Amino acid sequence: MADGPRAEPLEPPATIAFVGLGKMGTPMAARLVEAGWRVRAWDLSPAALDAFAKARPAAFRRFGLDPAKMVDVLNASTGRNNSTELKAKQFILSGSFGSGFSLGLM
């Protein structure tokens, strides 16, 4: 182990930043709320944020961060993937949703 000062462990009701309220993230964030943590969530989808906030209004507050900057943060970290790098700003944040995929292909 490294020598030096150690971080104090966090305990509820501390605030946790949570990125991603999809199929995995929503239940994880919900369990944190149930355990007494304050969750500050961010997601590319405003609908996901709204659904989470409506279900847990007392525990939820938006970050108030620019979505385009958050995509840059994700791309500079371990969250970088094809969707965040090539599609998020161009097709999702712009509101065009025109990536070329057609439901007729399904």
Side-chain angles (χ1 to χ4, degrees), residues 3-16:
D3 291 330
R6 295 178 184 230
E8 293 295 320
L10 291 176
E11 294 182 14
T15 301
I16 294 180

Side-chain angles (χ1 to χ4, degrees), residues 6 11 14 22-24 27 33 42 46 69 72-74 76-77 80 84 90 98 101:
R6 295 178 184 230
E11 294 182 14
K23 289 181 181 179
M24 279 182 21
V33 170
W42 183 84
K69 291 191 188 295
D72 292 338
V73 168
L74 286 172
S77 66
R80 182 179 184 176
T84 61
Q90 184 177 2
F101 180 79

